[in-house]
Amino acid sequence: LAKTTQPISMDSYEGQEVNITCSHNNIATNDYITWYQQFPSQGPRFIIQGYKTKVTNEVASLFIPADRKSSTLSLPRVSLSDTAVYYCLVGDVSRSSASKIIFGSGTRLSIRP
Amino acid sequence: SQTIHQWPATLVQPVGSPLSLECTVEGTSNPNLYWYRQAAGRGLQLLFYSVGIGQISSEVPQNLSASRPQDRQFILSSKKLLLSDSGFYLCAWSIRDPETQYFGPGTRLLVL
């Protein structure tokens, strides 16, 4: 499983667009990129998953450059309720083993009024 | 739709006492099931996962054990709790791939 590196923390303000970047230099050909969101005292929540270029859903967008060595989670117009920890995971969804799933420390995003 | 339940929500136990945490999933069949532990301010540590009834894989040697007596039931147990067992315990399930997991509300355990 490709190792990922994320900033430990980020701060922003309500109404701003927030971009959280994850580095995964040794990503493999069949690996997908998955992002989770975790609020205090709750389990992580699946946000978005992608393989290349851009993926968008009702919550966020995921931008993946051509070399796929990094990815950026984009949260449009954040609110206070977006304050949470965000985790980036990389793995081969077709045949990866659960034992290789690693939730690191994530990025602690704090939104201010 | 699928739902996942965990209980109890919080638990305070003395050192040396037994533990049983239960997790059940509704609305799906033959899910993969997972137990994680999260220390305060830290990431998630995978403890056990199961791909079917009676099939348990352990990731970290410890005094905890897991069982899957039914397809959608996953139990985390200990015969004698240690102080270091305190933490936030999360159960999760997946169908399509291990990268897409759905988590329960968690159980906060405090061992005194």
Side-chain angles (χ1 to χ4, degrees):
Chain A
L1 197 71
K3 181 182 176 183
T4 61
T5 303
Q6 305 175 233
I8 295 175
S9 63
M10 294 181 65
D11 296 324
S12 188
Y13 294 90
E14 282 190 295
Q16 299 294 307
E17 178 185 75
V18 171
N19 296 309
I20 305 174
T21 297
C22 179
S23 297
H24 27 81
N25 291 320
N26 59 336
I27 189 170
T29 301
N30 293 330
D31 284 347
Y32 278 67
I33 301 155
T34 310
W35 284 81
Y36 284 80
Q37 174 191 56
Q38 185 180 24
F39 297 115
S41 298
Q42 295 185 27
R45 180 174 74 106
F46 172 88
I47 301 177
I48 197 166
Q49 186 179 77
Y51 183 79
K52 63 180 180 180
T53 63
K54 176 183 176 181
V55 179
T56 298
N57 61 22
E58 65 277 6
V59 177
S61 294
L62 179 60
F63 296 93
I64 305 168
D67 67 4
R68 302 197 332 117
K69 293 184 182 300
S70 67
S71 59
T72 299
L73 176 72
S74 181
L75 305 173
R77 298 182 60 80
V78 294
S79 63
L80 295 176
S81 62
D82 291 314
T83 294
V85 177
Y86 292 82
Y87 299 95
C88 166
L89 281 70
V90 174
D92 183 346
V93 303
S94 65
R95 57 186 179 91
S96 63
S97 168
S99 64
K100 294 180 172 59
I101 303 301
I102 299 175
F103 283 82
S105 297
T107 297
R108 189 170 298 275
L109 175 65
S110 298
I111 305 301
R112 303 176 182 178
Chain B
S1 64
Q2 301 87 0
T3 56
I4 179 169
H5 305 278
Q6 283 187 248
W7 63 90
T10 59
L11 190 60
V12 180
Q13 292 285 97
V15 170
S17 64
L19 173 74
S20 180
L21 301 181
E22 189 164 342
C23 170
T24 59
V25 181
E26 297 177 357
T28 187
S29 296
N30 197 30
N32 293 334
L33 297 173
Y34 312 82
W35 277 113
Y36 290 87
R37 178 171 58 203
Q38 186 174 35
R42 307 292 295 275
L44 280 71
Q45 178 187 36
L46 179 63
L47 301 175
F48 301 95
Y49 69 96
S50 170
V51 298
I53 296 175
Q55 301 180 62
I56 309 294
S57 296
S58 174
E59 292 302 305
V60 182
Q62 59 216 319
N63 69 319
L64 299 172
S65 62
S67 63
R68 184 169 178 175
Q70 300 180 43
D71 181 44
R72 289 168 288 180
Q73 184 184 30
F74 206 20
I75 298 172
L76 182 69
S77 304
S78 174
K79 293 182 179 178
K80 288 186 177 181
L81 284 169
L82 306 173
L83 288 174
S84 57
D85 291 324
S86 294
F88 190 42
Y89 287 83
L90 289 157
C91 179
W93 68 273
S94 70
I95 284 290
R96 188 167 62 91
D97 54 82
E99 280 77 7
T100 308
Q101 295 184 26
Y102 300 93
F103 286 79
T107 294
R108 191 163 299 283
L109 172 65
L110 179 60
V111 182
L112 301 175

